[in-house]
């Protein structure tokens, strides 16, 4: 880029010495370059009312009127009467008034867009009056009323009732809907105490048992905030370990490393957290032997999360085994490496991959003829 100091402009290359011509007072009868001003005014012509006159009518025809009307009035109509002022004040007051119902409606609209878990009702205070133990879960499209929300003491009874149903019937569709309904009532009333932690932990465990990781992730995300408000409630170390294992499921290495790097000494001492850190180390290093050994001894509900991606890791491991072993490898060895209890169970999985065997006995895999995508 070249800076032209002659013309006073900055740009690519010189602009020349031509300076921009400015309109000056007294140049009314002169023409600017490239601008046609039309025919000049004759002496016997008077300025237009919409022109820029030099007398009382100067402006766009809105100068001072010769009629002796009062200010703020046109003709016989006045806009400054007390009645009109009061009417305008009331109109603006109604437009600016935000009721409690409007506030809740706006919050719920945002909550529905974000999945219903990320909006807090700290600015409003609602105490429910509904006494029903079961209530269907519905996404709110308008502000709820008190008779549509259950108070906390009813929610405690409702949770006990639903857990009894789960133990006796194991109807996940019903239990999941009822737990989401309880969570909704907690959110509307801005309840973030020990009972809220219990509700979200119960729902997370049941979702894990049914491998509903979408619902589980909603619960674990909310638990992060609840644990910060209630540091001594629930099982934060256990669910921290589950969160690290979940990051492996979604292959989110950056967040997993960040969570491990921010561990406190108390968290590091937890056996659940230690297990999750070992699994993550084996996964990132590609140590499949150690990974599948840890899978077989997963504590508590960690095995349910690993069930979601263990077949994915087995597929990668078998592909590397076939490329590494030549000319063949025993099925028994593959079963041990992949964490299968015996060769028969491993054969079911290997047949799905359409591996080639050296003989009809299917005791060894022919690595030369086997291709795994």
């Amino acid at each position: 880029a070249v800076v032209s100091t002659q013309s006073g402009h900055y740009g690519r290359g010189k602009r020349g010495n031509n300076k921009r011509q400015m309109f000056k007072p007294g140049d009314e009868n002169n023409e600017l370059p490239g601008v046609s001003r039309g025919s000049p005014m004759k002496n016997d012509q008077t300025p237009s009312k919409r022109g820029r006159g030099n007398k009382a009518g100067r402006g766009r025809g809105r100068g001072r009127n010769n009629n002796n009307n009062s200010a703020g009035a046109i003709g016989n109509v006045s806009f400054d009467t007390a009645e009109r002022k009061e009417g305008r004040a009331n109109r603006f007051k109604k437009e600016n008034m935000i009721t409690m119902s409007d506030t809740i409606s706006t919050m719920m609209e945002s909550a529905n867009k974000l999945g219903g878990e990320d909006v807090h009702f700290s600015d409003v205070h609602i105490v429910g009056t509904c006494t029903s133990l079961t209530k269907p879960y519905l996404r709110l499209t308008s502000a709820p009323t008190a008779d549509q929300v259950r108070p906390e003491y009813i929610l405690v009874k409702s949770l006990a009732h639903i857990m009894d149903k789960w133990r006796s019937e194991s109807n996940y569709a019903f239990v999941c809907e009822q737990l989401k309904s309880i969570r909704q009532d907690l959110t509307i009333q801005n309840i973030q105490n020990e009972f809220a932690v219990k509700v979200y932990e119960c729902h997370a465990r049941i979702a894990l048992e049914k491998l509903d990781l979408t619902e589980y992730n909603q619960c674990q995300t909310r638990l992060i905030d609840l644990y910060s408000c209630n540091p001594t409630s629930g099982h934060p170390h256990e669910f921290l370990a589950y969160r690290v294992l979940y990051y492996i499921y979604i292959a989110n290495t950056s967040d997993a490393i960040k969570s491990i790097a921010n561990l406190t000494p108390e968290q590091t001492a937890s056996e659940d957290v230690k297990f999750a850190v070992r699994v993550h180390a084996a996964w990132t290093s590609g140590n499949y032997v150690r990974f599948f050994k840890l899978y077989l001894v997963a504590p508590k509900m960690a095995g349910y999360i690993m069930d979601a991606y263990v077949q994915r890791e087995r597929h990668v491991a078998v592909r590397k085994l076939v490329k590494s072993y030549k000319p063949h490898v025993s099925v028994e060895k593959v079963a041990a490496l992949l964490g299968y209890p015996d060769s028969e169970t491993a054969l079911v999985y290997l047949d799905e991959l359409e591996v080639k065997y050296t003989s009809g006995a299917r005791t060894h895999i022919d690595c030369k003829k086997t291709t795994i995508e």
Side-chain angles (χ1 to χ4, degrees), residues 7-18:
S7 60
H9 296 279
Y10 297 89
R12 291 186 176 274
K14 297 181 179 180
R15 294 277 183 102
N17 296 324
N18 295 330

Side-chain angles (χ1 to χ4, degrees), residues 12 15 20 51 56 61 68 78 81 105 117 155-156 164 199 201 211 219 232 248 252 289 299 316 327-328 338 360 362:
R12 291 186 176 274
R15 294 277 183 102
R20 185 177 180 181
N68 294 326
S78 175
T81 62
S105 297
E117 298 294 334
L155 294 177
V156 173
D164 289 339
V199 170
E201 285 188 349
L211 280 182
C219 294
T232 60
I248 299 176
N252 190 342
V289 176
V316 177
H328 53 75
L338 298 182
R362 301 192 303 171

Side-chain angles (χ1 to χ4, degrees), residues 70 77 108 149-150 166 180 188 213 222 227 230 284 322 355:
S70 60
V77 181
M108 291 312 303
V149 182
R150 293 168 293 183
W166 171 247
K180 290 178 71 173
I188 292 173
L213 294 186
R222 183 68 177 127
Y227 286 143
N230 307 273
T284 54
V322 170
V355 301

Side-chain angles (χ1 to χ4, degrees), residues 82 106-107 116 135 162 198 252 309 324:
T106 303
M107 289 181 175
K135 190 185 74 170
I162 293 169
K198 182 179 180 180
N252 190 342
Y309 54 85
S324 302

Side-chain angles (χ1 to χ4, degrees), residues 167-216:
R167 298 185 188 96
S168 60
E169 301 177 7
S170 298
N171 186 346
Y172 179 68
F174 170 79
V175 170
C176 181
E177 181 191 30
Q178 294 303 312
L179 288 173
K180 290 178 71 173
S181 180
I182 293 178
R183 285 161 46 189
Q184 186 180 65
D185 289 347
L186 291 173
T187 303
I188 292 173
Q189 298 175 97
N190 195 32
I191 299 175
Q192 304 181 55
N193 54 14
E194 185 177 357
F195 174 68
V197 174
K198 182 179 180 180
V199 170
Y200 279 88
E201 285 188 349
C202 287
H203 198 175
R205 295 181 192 279
I206 294 174
L208 279 180
E209 190 172 342
K210 290 298 181 179
L211 280 182
D212 186 357
L213 294 186
T214 301
E215 204 65 48
Y216 160 77

Side-chain angles (χ1 to χ4, degrees), residues 36-258:
S36 176
R37 297 179 59 84
S39 59
M41 184 184 298
K42 296 181 180 180
N43 295 330
D44 57 347
Q45 288 181 332
T46 58
S48 171
K49 289 185 178 181
R50 292 188 60 83
R52 295 184 61 83
N54 56 2
K55 295 184 179 180
R58 182 183 178 94
R60 294 184 175 273
R62 297 182 64 180
R64 185 175 299 170
N65 199 327
N66 292 330
N67 297 330
N68 294 326
N69 293 334
S70 60
I74 297 179
N76 295 326
V77 181
S78 175
F79 292 94
D80 291 333
T81 62
E83 293 79 3
R84 289 187 174 273
K85 288 182 178 180
E86 184 179 358
R88 288 200 301 271
N90 291 335
R91 175 163 54 87
F92 287 114
K93 184 177 180 181
K94 291 179 180 179
E95 290 178 356
N96 295 329
M97 185 180 297
I98 300 178
T99 63
M100 180 77 72
S101 178
D102 294 333
T103 304
I104 301 173
S105 297
T106 303
M107 289 181 175
M108 291 312 303
E109 182 179 355
S110 301
N112 289 335
K113 292 179 181 179
L114 298 173
E117 298 294 334
D118 296 331
V119 175
H120 304 285
F121 292 80
S122 55
D123 295 335
V124 297
H125 183 66
I126 299 177
V127 178
T129 59
C130 179
T131 58
S132 176
L133 292 181
T134 59
K135 190 185 74 170
Y137 170 77
L138 298 173
R139 287 194 177 274
L140 297 177
T141 58
S142 61
T145 57
D147 59 345
Q148 296 175 326
V149 182
R150 293 168 293 183
E152 184 177 350
Y153 78 94
I154 295 294
L155 294 177
V156 173
K157 298 178 182 179
S158 177
L159 178 63
H161 173 71
I162 293 169
M163 295 307 296
D164 289 339
K165 284 281 188 180
W166 171 247
R167 298 185 188 96
S168 60
E169 301 177 7
S170 298
N171 186 346
Y172 179 68
F174 170 79
V175 170
C176 181
E177 181 191 30
Q178 294 303 312
L179 288 173
K180 290 178 71 173
S181 180
I182 293 178
R183 285 161 46 189
Q184 186 180 65
D185 289 347
L186 291 173
T187 303
I188 292 173
Q189 298 175 97
N190 195 32
I191 299 175
Q192 304 181 55
N193 54 14
E194 185 177 357
F195 174 68
V197 174
K198 182 179 180 180
V199 170
Y200 279 88
E201 285 188 349
C202 287
H203 198 175
R205 295 181 192 279
I206 294 174
L208 279 180
E209 190 172 342
K210 290 298 181 179
L211 280 182
D212 186 357
L213 294 186
T214 301
E215 204 65 48
Y216 160 77
N217 187 42
Q218 291 184 9
C219 294
Q220 94 165 344
T221 302
R222 183 68 177 127
L223 280 170
I224 296 175
D225 294 332
L226 291 175
Y227 286 143
S228 63
C229 299
N230 307 273
T232 60
S233 300
H235 306 82
H237 295 163
E238 178 186 352
F239 279 88
L240 172 60
Y242 296 161
R243 186 159 68 250
V244 173
L245 296 176
Y246 179 80
Y247 286 145
I248 299 176
Y249 166 67
I250 60 176
N252 190 342
T253 307
S254 60
D255 283 344
I257 293 176
K258 189 183 299 182

